[in-house]
Amino acid sequence: MIRPEDAQFHRPTSDDPLWSETNYFGLYAGQDTDRPMNIGVYGLFREPLGVLGSTVSINSRRVTMPWAADYWDAWQHLVVPQPSDLLDYSLANGLRVRCTQPNMVWDVDFSDAAAGLELHFRYTALMAPYDINDPAQDPMAAGRDLDLTWGHAYAGHFDQTGHYEGEIELRGVRTPIDCVSTMDHSWGVRAERQTSRLSWLHAHFSRDLVVHGLFDFSTAGGPDAPSALTMTHGYVLEKGQVFGLTGGGGTTDRTGFYPERVALSVVDSADRAWELTGTALTTFPWQSQPGVVGHNSLLRWEMDGRTGYGEAMDFVGLGELGEVYHRLHQAEVVARA
């Protein structure tokens, strides 16, 4: 069960210096226009080391290089402000985050005058935090395998859907922010080398209907092959009530590991089946930390005549990516011989 105090830093349960806490705010603007804008604001705090990494990304394009996006800013060695306070912090990169109601309301501001960027929004939760490690809340938590939930980095983790409202101005163009999307908070040991995969995705149809899920997948078929999704956690938010997912899966069609089309069929704790399909509007290679690539797509989702939006974030470690592309190169060499 997630409590109000879980919005704050946690006492490490390990002496591993890579103990970390994260906050991720993923949102979008202009989703009903010809320039849908995917926005990500992230902090990865390694408090035992006194440093943190922070990234801010804004992308309305199909890119495979982060610098080809509308905006990309990444810092890896910001100093954790002292006294450390995850409810109220300001960073040297221009990010200010205040949690005025723990696990319910966050105000986020980011300024980069040199790039002509002003980003300001309030996130207001539409549900209680969803604890993927609590069997009383998550039907998949009992007997879980941490290796299928992104390892011990997710030893403490919640996902939560809420309403984002604010404004972004980038290079003289102002766009209002008014969307339903999902944030998360994690705490645990986050290794530099990522050895498992994670597809973290969601579809937001309204304040009253959301499907969110975490999945594992295989890279064996290569970067352009469809891959089956194995569900590890998730929920349906319907009219303020949360139903944990109990089963199901799906398939992701890919180009260079970026999700192009995602088909899901999942079952919730009320024994209802939900079938939905998402199509990519954008692509972006988000590196939350140097050792992993999140193949990010903003998707337009369809379900029973409803249209929604949300991210698919498919994380693969650099070591595994290297092996995949090595096999691909070797196969091309053999084919040319």
Side-chain angles (χ1 to χ4, degrees):
M1 178 179 179
I2 302 298
R3 298 174 173 82
E5 53 266 33
D6 287 313
Q8 187 55 274
F9 283 112
H10 295 78
R11 182 183 298 276
T13 58
S14 166
D15 59 3
D16 192 316
L18 295 183
W19 173 273
S20 304
E21 303 237 4
T22 72
N23 272 338
Y24 176 71
F25 300 94
L27 58 149
Y28 40 90
Q31 59 268 28
D32 296 319
T33 71
D34 60 358
R35 190 171 173 264
M37 187 181 300
N38 198 21
I39 303 167
V41 178
Y42 183 67
L44 191 162
F45 293 77
R46 297 194 184 277
E47 195 182 18
L49 299 177
V51 298
L52 71 127
S54 178
T55 70
V56 176
S57 59
I58 300 161
N59 181 51
S60 62
R61 307 164 182 161
R62 285 178 171 267
V63 302
T64 58
M65 301 174 294
W67 52 86
D70 297 74
Y71 180 86
W72 169 240
D73 188 63
W75 298 50
Q76 286 302 315
H77 293 94
L78 291 161
V79 176
V80 177
Q82 296 298 320
S84 58
D85 185 356
L86 205 53
L87 302 183
D88 190 345
Y89 57 89
S90 296
L91 304 179
N93 65 342
L95 179 63
R96 172 81 189 277
V97 176
R98 290 164 293 165
C99 183
T100 55
Q101 296 181 42
N103 297 328
M104 291 299 295
V105 178
W106 279 266
D107 289 303
V108 178
D109 300 281
F110 180 77
S111 297
D112 183 347
L117 173 60
E118 292 288 335
L119 173 63
H120 309 283
F121 62 83
R122 168 168 286 188
Y123 168 91
T124 304
L126 296 174
M127 57 181 281
Y130 188 79
D131 187 349
I132 68 168
N133 296 305
D134 183 358
Q137 191 170 29
D138 185 345
M140 303 294 290
R144 71 191 185 282
D145 182 351
L146 276 175
D147 288 337
L148 296 180
T149 55
W150 220 28
H152 292 278
Y154 273 27
H157 178 86
F158 70 78
D159 297 300
Q160 184 184 62
T161 298
H163 177 238
Y164 289 83
E165 186 173 21
E167 182 180 75
I168 179 172
E169 181 176 352
L170 180 59
R171 302 183 182 96
V173 178
R174 292 188 181 185
T175 306
I177 295 168
D178 184 1
C179 69
V180 175
S181 193
T182 300
M183 64 86 65
D184 74 358
H185 179 196
S186 302
W187 55 98
V189 177
R190 182 156 302 204
E192 292 278 21
R193 288 180 175 171
Q194 183 59 45
T195 57
S196 58
R197 295 142 310 281
L198 170 66
S199 183
W200 187 84
L201 60 81
H202 35 241
H204 312 91
F205 297 95
S206 70
R207 292 172 181 251
D208 293 326
L209 185 58
V210 172
V211 179
H212 174 75
L214 284 70
F215 301 83
D216 189 20
F217 61 95
S218 172
T219 61
D224 300 318
S227 57
L229 299 174
T230 302
M231 197 198 76
T232 57
H233 301 279
Y235 59 80
V236 171
L237 173 63
E238 184 185 33
K239 297 180 180 178
Q241 189 172 356
V242 178
F243 301 86
L245 296 184
T246 59
T251 302
T252 298
D253 295 330
R254 304 178 182 280
T255 300
F257 283 122
Y258 292 94
E260 290 288 347
R261 182 181 181 275
V262 182
L264 295 181
S265 179
V266 294
V267 178
D268 70 18
S269 57
D271 291 327
R272 298 175 300 176
W274 303 85
E275 297 188 358
L276 56 158
T277 302
T279 304
L281 301 174
T282 66
T283 61
F284 177 75
W286 181 49
Q287 285 191 270
S288 57
Q289 62 194 74
V292 64
V293 178
H295 299 82
N296 174 277
S297 295
L298 176 63
L299 303 173
R300 178 183 289 117
W301 291 90
E302 304 293 337
M303 182 173 68
D304 296 332
R306 304 179 181 93
T307 298
Y309 297 89
E311 293 179 283
M313 194 88 76
D314 287 7
F315 295 97
V316 186
L318 293 185
E320 185 169 351
L321 288 172
E323 288 292 333
V324 170
Y325 283 102
H326 171 72
R327 294 197 305 268
L328 184 62
H329 174 72
Q330 290 298 104
E332 291 173 348
V333 170
V334 171
R336 290 196 300 267

